[in-house]
Amino acid sequence: MTRQSRTSPAASEQSLHQAYDTALLDLDGVVYAGGEAIAHAVESLAAARADGMHLAYVTNNALRTPDAVAEHLGELGIPTEAAEVITSAQAVARLIAEQVEPGSKVLVIGGEGLRVALRERGLVPVESAEEEGLAAVVQGYGGPDLPWGRFAEASYAINRGVPWFASNTDLTIPGARGIAPGNGAAVEVVRIATGAEPQVAGKPLPPMHRETVLRTGARRPLVVGDRLDTDIEGAFNGEVDSLLVLTGVTDAEQLLRAEPRHRPTYVDRDLRGLLAGQPEVEPCAEGFRCGGWTAVATNGGVLELREAGEGGEAGDAGEAGDPLDGLRALCAAAWTVAGDGVCTFDAAKALARLGL
């Protein structure tokens, strides 16, 4: 099966932490939420590492430095070296360095993470569009206190023809108090003022995947994330496997409606999925079976779910029906009927039955 034609979550007889050499983990919604560790994250990551899996933390947030991220993870009980943290600031700094002369001046619209990454690449971060010999403008998330005037500074330089780069274009960023505007929203402000388009480095685009592989040396990586449009699409673009965990922004209904580039290889509740194998989703006479559940795409445009003992080919009566197996079966039914498109079948009753 090609990635373009994925119509079902995959199976794995081995636990995922044994089947892959490196986990490329998103942070918010996967490892922590609102700054606090997500349930089962700390112990699952510790067990995976103890068994030989390399862990790398990959974030589109360009504000914090790898040192700061590693320190935060350590405070949560996840010992981490700065070298195990890969940020979109590092990816965009490499992208810029490949296109300008060493020692070039780069106007920074963002935080310390960008400045540190630029210096690492032999570039000189500056604050004014009036700097002589300005080679590039780079824009990354600067936090809620970034002055509005910084967007004007970027616009002045870009309107004079200075090349524009962005660490990422995530429109929103989750925080302790809710969802806030992300760097993508700030990029839109500058785009409106200039009519220009930036070169973008972050997930789901190839520069971020390349940066991650170069820094980790991963040979068989597994992308672990909670967002279909960054983590899972990034894995698709990088042609590597992915695990979607349901601890962040993606819910079961969104997963069923995923277009091909947003369909993960595996799906699990949380990071405990790294320590387990993945069950097979099998076609059967009525539809698709996983564990004690059978999912059917009816002629009436509805996705139905049957548990063991309800007739058909759902399995032997009394077989336990893990709700997550039901979701995996529904994914197969939905993605198969959708083909290269998006499933529009009604799955509300089936998902309610699973408690999802």
Side-chain angles (χ1 to χ4, degrees), residues 117-205:
L118 289 170
R119 294 189 189 105
E120 183 185 36
R121 290 285 151 215
L123 303 173
V124 180
V126 300
E127 303 301 315
S128 173
E130 304 309 313
E131 286 277 353
E132 186 176 349
L134 192 63
V137 176
V138 63
Q139 187 172 1
Y141 183 63
D145 298 324
L146 185 69
W148 186 262
R150 300 306 296 160
F151 305 142
E153 204 68 24
S155 300
Y156 301 148
I158 295 164
N159 280 329
R160 292 201 300 266
V162 178
W164 178 27
F165 297 81
S167 63
N168 66 299
T169 53
D170 297 41
L171 290 173
T172 61
I173 187 167
R177 296 173 58 194
I179 301 298
N183 191 53
V187 166
E188 286 299 316
V189 171
V190 177
R191 181 185 282 119
I192 290 168
T194 63
E197 291 290 334
Q199 295 185 53
V200 183
K203 296 183 287 186
L205 298 174

Side-chain angles (χ1 to χ4, degrees), residues 13 40 54 57 63 81 97 102 121 143 166 168 170 177 179 200-201 213 217 227 242 306-307 312 324 329 339:
E13 292 185 2
H40 311 294
H54 179 57
Y57 302 94
L63 177 60
E81 300 293 331
R121 290 285 151 215
N168 66 299
D170 297 41
R177 296 173 58 194
I179 301 298
V200 183
V213 171
R227 297 184 71 114
S242 60
R306 297 176 183 169
E307 195 174 5
L324 202 62

Side-chain angles (χ1 to χ4, degrees), residues 168-350:
N168 66 299
T169 53
D170 297 41
L171 290 173
T172 61
I173 187 167
R177 296 173 58 194
I179 301 298
N183 191 53
V187 166
E188 286 299 316
V189 171
V190 177
R191 181 185 282 119
I192 290 168
T194 63
E197 291 290 334
Q199 295 185 53
V200 183
K203 296 183 287 186
L205 298 174
M208 187 67 170
H209 179 73
R210 179 183 59 155
E211 187 72 22
T212 302
V213 171
L214 286 171
R215 288 182 179 268
T216 64
R219 295 185 177 182
R220 184 161 169 73
L222 177 69
V223 170
V224 184
D226 70 309
R227 297 184 71 114
L228 301 179
D229 59 349
T230 55
D231 305 316
I232 305 308
E233 185 177 341
F236 177 89
N237 290 336
E239 298 186 350
V240 298
D241 289 345
S242 60
L243 167 66
L244 178 78
V245 291
L246 300 175
T247 48
V249 301
T250 300
D251 62 25
E253 182 177 1
Q254 292 169 326
L255 179 60
L256 296 183
R257 298 186 186 282
E259 57 186 289
R261 61 183 176 163
H262 292 165
R263 296 171 188 169
T265 313
Y266 312 107
V267 57
D268 222 310
R269 291 178 180 83
D270 51 51
L271 286 177
R272 288 176 294 180
L274 280 177
L275 307 177
Q278 295 288 310
E280 185 173 3
V281 182
E282 302 175 292
C284 60
E286 290 187 303
F288 295 89
R289 178 197 302 145
C290 185
W293 299 95
T294 295
V296 181
T298 71
N299 292 332
V302 176
L303 291 176
E304 292 184 350
L305 201 58
R306 297 176 183 169
E307 195 174 5
E310 293 182 353
E313 296 195 20
D316 297 331
E319 184 180 347
D322 182 346
L324 202 62
D325 287 341
L327 178 59
R328 293 178 177 118
L330 284 170
C331 284
W335 298 349
T336 297
V337 77
D340 291 333
V342 174
C343 181
T344 59
F345 279 38
D346 183 4
K349 289 184 178 179

Side-chain angles (χ1 to χ4, degrees), residues 5-72:
S5 63
R6 176 168 298 285
T7 56
S8 173
S12 176
E13 292 185 2
Q14 286 183 293
S15 64
L16 297 184
H17 78 293
Q18 295 172 330
Y20 298 88
D21 69 345
T22 306
L24 306 180
L25 296 130
D26 184 43
L27 288 171
D28 200 280
V30 176
V31 177
Y32 54 65
E36 299 297 323
I38 287 174
H40 311 294
V42 174
E43 55 267 40
S44 296
L45 293 173
R49 184 191 290 275
D51 239 6
M53 188 179 216
H54 179 57
L55 307 179
Y57 302 94
V58 186
T59 176
N60 262 359
N61 190 331
L63 177 60
R64 295 195 294 173
T65 66
D67 283 312
V69 174
E71 182 179 358
H72 179 205

